[in-house]
Every structure is written in structure tokens, then in C-alpha cells.
Coordinates of all heavy atoms in Angstrom, one line a residue:
Y29 N -65.0 96.9 -43.1 CA -65.2 96.3 -44.4 C -65.6 94.9 -44.3 O -65.2 94.2 -43.4 CB -63.9 96.5 -45.3 CG -63.5 97.9 -45.5 CD1 -62.5 98.5 -44.7 CD2 -64.1 98.7 -46.4 CE1 -62.1 99.8 -44.9 CE2 -63.7 100.0 -46.6 CZ -62.7 100.5 -45.8 OH -62.3 101.8 -46.0
K30 N -66.2 94.4 -45.4 CA -66.5 93.0 -45.5 C -65.4 92.2 -46.3 O -64.7 92.8 -47.0 CB -67.9 92.7 -46.2 CG -69.1 93.3 -45.4 CD -70.4 92.9 -46.0 CE -71.5 93.3 -45.2 NZ -72.8 93.0 -45.8
D31 N -65.4 90.9 -46.1 CA -64.4 90.1 -46.9 C -64.8 90.2 -48.4 O -66.0 90.3 -48.7 CB -64.5 88.7 -46.4 CG -63.9 88.5 -45.1 OD1 -63.1 89.3 -44.7 OD2 -64.3 87.5 -44.4
P32 N -63.8 90.2 -49.2 CA -64.1 90.3 -50.7 C -65.1 89.1 -51.1 O -64.9 88.0 -50.7 CB -62.8 90.1 -51.3 CG -61.8 90.5 -50.3 CD -62.4 90.1 -49.0
V33 N -66.1 89.4 -51.9 CA -67.0 88.4 -52.4 C -66.3 87.6 -53.4 O -65.8 88.1 -54.4 CB -68.3 89.1 -52.9 CG1 -69.2 88.1 -53.4 CG2 -68.9 90.0 -51.9
T34 N -66.3 86.3 -53.2 CA -65.7 85.4 -54.2 C -66.7 84.4 -54.7 O -67.7 84.1 -54.0 CB -64.6 84.6 -53.5 OG1 -65.1 83.9 -52.4 CG2 -63.5 85.5 -53.1
K35 N -66.5 84.0 -55.9 CA -67.4 83.0 -56.5 C -67.1 81.6 -56.1 O -65.9 81.2 -56.1 CB -67.4 83.1 -58.1 CG -68.3 82.2 -58.8 CD -68.2 82.4 -60.3 CE -69.2 81.5 -61.0 NZ -69.0 81.6 -62.5
S36 N -68.1 80.8 -55.7 CA -67.8 79.5 -55.2 C -67.5 78.6 -56.3 O -68.1 78.6 -57.4 CB -69.0 79.0 -54.4 OG -70.2 79.0 -55.3
M37 N -66.4 77.8 -56.2 CA -66.0 76.8 -57.2 C -66.1 75.4 -56.6 O -65.3 75.0 -55.9 CB -64.5 77.1 -57.6 CG -64.3 78.5 -58.2 SD -65.2 78.7 -59.8 CE -64.3 77.6 -60.8
P38 N -67.2 74.7 -56.9 CA -67.4 73.4 -56.3 C -66.5 72.4 -56.9 O -66.0 72.5 -58.0 CB -68.9 73.1 -56.6 CG -69.2 73.9 -57.9 CD -68.3 75.1 -57.8
W39 N -66.3 71.3 -56.1 CA -65.6 70.1 -56.6 C -66.6 69.1 -56.9 O -67.3 68.6 -56.0 CB -64.6 69.7 -55.5 CG -63.8 68.5 -55.8 CD1 -62.8 68.4 -56.7 CD2 -64.0 67.2 -55.3 NE1 -62.3 67.1 -56.7 CE2 -63.0 66.3 -55.9 CE3 -64.9 66.6 -54.3 CZ2 -63.0 65.0 -55.5 CZ3 -64.8 65.3 -54.0 CH2 -63.8 64.5 -54.6
Y40 N -66.6 68.6 -58.1 CA -67.6 67.6 -58.5 C -67.0 66.2 -58.5 O -65.8 66.0 -58.9 CB -68.1 67.9 -59.9 CG -68.9 69.2 -60.1 CD1 -68.3 70.4 -60.5 CD2 -70.2 69.3 -59.7 CE1 -69.0 71.6 -60.7 CE2 -70.9 70.5 -59.8 CZ -70.3 71.6 -60.3 OH -71.0 72.8 -60.4
A41 N -67.8 65.3 -58.0 CA -67.3 63.9 -58.0 C -68.6 63.0 -57.9 O -69.7 63.5 -57.8 CB -66.4 63.6 -56.8
N42 N -68.4 61.7 -57.9 CA -69.4 60.7 -57.7 C -69.3 60.0 -56.3 O -68.2 59.4 -56.1 CB -69.5 59.7 -58.8 CG -70.0 60.3 -60.1 OD1 -70.7 61.3 -60.1 ND2 -69.6 59.6 -61.2
L43 N -70.2 60.2 -55.4 CA -70.2 59.5 -54.2 C -70.6 58.0 -54.4 O -71.7 57.7 -54.7 CB -71.2 60.1 -53.2 CG -71.3 59.5 -51.8 CD1 -70.0 59.5 -51.1 CD2 -72.4 60.2 -51.0
K44 N -69.6 57.1 -54.3 CA -69.8 55.7 -54.6 C -70.1 54.9 -53.4 O -69.3 54.9 -52.4 CB -68.5 55.2 -55.3 CG -68.7 53.8 -55.9 CD -67.5 53.3 -56.7 CE -67.8 51.9 -57.3 NZ -66.6 51.5 -58.1
L45 N -71.2 54.3 -53.4 CA -71.7 53.4 -52.2 C -72.0 52.1 -52.8 O -73.1 51.9 -53.5 CB -72.9 54.0 -51.5 CG -73.5 53.2 -50.4 CD1 -72.5 53.0 -49.3 CD2 -74.7 54.0 -49.8
T46 N -71.1 51.1 -52.7 CA -71.2 49.8 -53.3 C -71.4 50.0 -54.8 O -70.5 50.5 -55.5 CB -72.4 48.9 -52.7 OG1 -73.6 49.6 -52.9 CG2 -72.2 48.7 -51.2
D47 N -72.5 49.6 -55.4 CA -72.7 49.7 -56.8 C -73.6 51.0 -57.2 O -74.0 51.1 -58.3 CB -73.4 48.5 -57.4 CG -74.7 48.2 -56.7 OD1 -74.9 48.8 -55.6 OD2 -75.5 47.4 -57.3
I48 N -73.8 51.8 -56.2 CA -74.6 53.1 -56.4 C -73.6 54.3 -56.5 O -72.7 54.4 -55.6 CB -75.6 53.3 -55.3 CG1 -76.5 52.1 -55.2 CG2 -76.4 54.6 -55.5 CD1 -77.5 52.2 -54.0
E49 N -73.8 55.1 -57.4 CA -73.0 56.3 -57.6 C -73.9 57.5 -57.6 O -74.9 57.6 -58.4 CB -72.2 56.3 -58.9 CG -71.1 55.2 -58.8 CD -70.1 55.4 -60.0 OE1 -70.2 56.4 -60.7 OE2 -69.3 54.5 -60.2
I50 N -73.7 58.5 -56.7 CA -74.5 59.7 -56.6 C -73.6 60.9 -56.9 O -72.6 61.2 -56.2 CB -75.0 59.9 -55.1 CG1 -75.8 58.6 -54.7 CG2 -75.9 61.1 -55.0 CD1 -76.2 58.6 -53.3
P51 N -73.9 61.6 -58.0 CA -73.2 62.9 -58.3 C -73.3 63.9 -57.2 O -74.4 64.2 -56.8 CB -73.8 63.3 -59.6 CG -74.5 62.1 -60.2 CD -75.0 61.3 -59.0
I52 N -72.2 64.4 -56.7 CA -72.2 65.4 -55.7 C -71.3 66.6 -56.0 O -70.5 66.5 -57.0 CB -71.7 64.8 -54.3 CG1 -70.3 64.2 -54.5 CG2 -72.7 63.7 -53.8 CD1 -69.2 65.0 -54.0
A53 N -71.5 67.7 -55.3 CA -70.7 68.9 -55.4 C -70.3 69.3 -54.0 O -71.1 69.4 -53.1 CB -71.5 70.0 -56.1
S54 N -69.0 69.5 -53.8 CA -68.4 69.9 -52.5 C -68.0 71.3 -52.5 O -67.3 71.8 -53.4 CB -67.3 69.0 -52.2 OG -66.7 69.3 -51.0
Y55 N -68.4 72.1 -51.5 CA -68.1 73.5 -51.3 C -67.3 73.7 -50.0 O -67.7 73.1 -49.0 CB -69.3 74.4 -51.3 CG -70.2 74.3 -52.6 CD1 -71.2 73.3 -52.7 CD2 -70.1 75.2 -53.6 CE1 -71.9 73.2 -53.8 CE2 -70.8 75.2 -54.7 CZ -71.8 74.2 -54.8 OH -72.6 74.1 -56.0
I56 N -66.2 74.5 -50.1 CA -65.5 74.8 -48.9 C -66.3 75.9 -48.1 O -66.5 77.0 -48.6 CB -64.1 75.3 -49.2 CG1 -63.3 74.2 -49.9 CG2 -63.4 75.8 -48.0 CD1 -61.9 74.6 -50.3
K57 N -66.6 75.5 -46.9 CA -67.4 76.5 -46.1 C -66.5 77.2 -45.1 O -66.7 78.4 -44.9 CB -68.5 75.7 -45.3 CG -69.5 76.6 -44.5 CD -70.6 75.8 -43.9 CE -71.5 76.7 -43.1 NZ -72.2 77.7 -43.9
I58 N -65.6 76.5 -44.4 CA -64.7 77.1 -43.4 C -63.3 76.7 -43.7 O -63.0 75.6 -44.0 CB -65.1 76.7 -42.0 CG1 -66.5 77.0 -41.6 CG2 -64.1 77.3 -41.0 CD1 -67.0 76.5 -40.3
T59 N -62.4 77.7 -43.8 CA -61.0 77.4 -44.0 C -60.2 78.3 -43.1 O -60.5 79.4 -42.7 CB -60.6 77.7 -45.5 OG1 -59.3 77.4 -45.6 CG2 -60.9 79.2 -45.8
G60 N -59.1 77.7 -42.7 CA -58.2 78.4 -41.8 C -57.0 79.0 -42.5 O -56.1 79.5 -41.8
N61 N -57.0 79.1 -43.8 CA -55.9 79.6 -44.5 C -56.1 81.1 -44.6 O -56.9 81.6 -45.4 CB -55.8 79.0 -45.9 CG -55.6 77.5 -45.9 OD1 -54.9 77.1 -45.0 ND2 -56.1 76.8 -46.8
N62 N -55.4 81.9 -43.8 CA -55.5 83.3 -43.8 C -54.5 83.9 -44.9 O -53.4 83.6 -44.9 CB -55.1 83.9 -42.4 CG -56.1 83.4 -41.4 OD1 -57.3 83.2 -41.7 ND2 -55.6 83.1 -40.2
K63 N -55.1 84.9 -45.6 CA -54.3 85.6 -46.6 C -53.4 86.6 -45.9 O -53.8 87.4 -45.1 CB -55.2 86.2 -47.7 CG -56.0 85.2 -48.5 CD -56.8 85.9 -49.5 CE -57.6 85.0 -50.3 NZ -58.5 85.6 -51.3
S64 N -52.1 86.6 -46.3 CA -51.2 87.5 -45.7 C -51.3 88.9 -46.4 O -51.8 89.0 -47.5 CB -49.7 87.0 -45.8 OG -49.4 86.8 -47.1
F65 N -50.7 89.8 -45.7 CA -50.7 91.2 -46.2 C -49.8 91.2 -47.5 O -48.7 90.7 -47.4 CB -50.2 92.2 -45.2 CG -50.5 93.6 -45.5 CD1 -51.6 94.2 -45.1 CD2 -49.5 94.3 -46.2 CE1 -51.9 95.6 -45.4 CE2 -49.8 95.7 -46.5 CZ -50.9 96.3 -46.1
P66 N -50.3 91.9 -48.6 CA -49.5 91.9 -49.8 C -48.2 92.6 -49.6 O -48.1 93.6 -48.9 CB -50.4 92.6 -50.8 CG -51.3 93.4 -50.0 CD -51.6 92.6 -48.7
S67 N -47.1 92.1 -50.1 CA -45.8 92.7 -50.0 C -45.6 93.8 -50.9 O -46.1 93.8 -52.1 CB -44.7 91.6 -50.2 OG -44.8 91.1 -51.6
W68 N -44.9 94.9 -50.5 CA -44.6 96.0 -51.3 C -43.2 95.9 -51.8 O -42.3 96.1 -51.1 CB -44.8 97.3 -50.5 CG -46.2 97.5 -50.0 CD1 -46.7 97.1 -48.8 CD2 -47.3 98.2 -50.6 NE1 -48.0 97.4 -48.6 CE2 -48.4 98.1 -49.8 CE3 -47.4 98.8 -51.8 CZ2 -49.6 98.7 -50.1 CZ3 -48.6 99.4 -52.2 CH2 -49.7 99.3 -51.3
K69 N -43.1 95.6 -53.1 CA -41.7 95.4 -53.7 C -41.4 96.7 -54.5 O -42.2 97.2 -55.3 CB -41.7 94.2 -54.7 CG -41.9 92.9 -53.9 CD -41.8 91.7 -54.9 CE -41.9 90.4 -54.2 NZ -41.8 89.3 -55.1
T70 N -40.3 97.3 -54.2 CA -39.8 98.5 -54.8 C -38.6 98.2 -55.7 O -37.7 97.4 -55.3 CB -39.5 99.6 -53.8 OG1 -38.5 99.1 -52.9 CG2 -40.8 99.9 -53.0
A71 N -38.4 98.9 -56.8 CA -37.3 98.7 -57.6 C -36.1 99.6 -57.1 O -36.4 100.7 -56.6 CB -37.6 99.1 -59.0
K72 N -34.9 99.2 -57.2 CA -33.8 99.9 -56.8 C -33.1 100.6 -58.0 O -32.8 100.0 -58.9 CB -32.7 99.0 -56.1 CG -33.3 98.3 -54.8 CD -32.2 97.4 -54.2 CE -32.7 96.8 -52.9 NZ -31.7 95.9 -52.3
E73 N -33.0 102.0 -57.8 CA -32.4 102.8 -58.8 C -33.0 102.6 -60.2 O -32.4 102.6 -61.2 CB -30.9 102.5 -58.9 CG -30.1 102.7 -57.6 CD -28.7 102.4 -57.7 OE1 -28.3 101.9 -58.8 OE2 -27.9 102.6 -56.8
G74 N -34.3 102.5 -60.2 CA -35.1 102.4 -61.4 C -34.9 101.0 -62.2 O -35.4 100.9 -63.3

């Protein structure tokens, strides 16, 4: 299977260089945060 397709959510800011400001958008390309297996929680005695 492939990884679930997710919509990219950019981070917007202004890249400030002295008195110049350039609007930019930052996207996360590589991350090391691995999602853990979902826990199975069961109710006891209903």
C-alpha cells in the first residue's frame, strides 16, 4: 500500500532581508515523526 495522501498545509511568512520582505510559503518535505499503530481500546463489561 501507499502512504495516505494528505493535503499540504504551507506555513506562510515574510522572508525579511534588511528592508526587503519577500512573501514565502514553507512545506514540510521530510519528517522523522512516525505514526504509531492505533491502539485498540475495549470497554469492560459494557
Side-chain angles (χ1 to χ4, degrees):
Y29 300 100
K30 293 186 176 180
D31 293 333
V33 179
T34 57
K35 183 179 180 181
S36 58
M37 299 295 292
W39 177 75
Y40 294 101
N42 288 337
L43 177 62
K44 189 174 181 181
L45 176 60
T46 62
D47 57 345
I48 303 174
E49 293 190 9
I50 305 174
I52 55 97
S54 177
Y55 299 85
I56 296 179
K57 184 175 180 63
I58 301 174
T59 180
N61 298 328
N62 298 323
K63 296 181 179 179
S64 59
F65 193 90
S67 60
W68 298 89
K69 294 185 178 179
T70 58
K72 296 182 179 179
E73 299 179 358

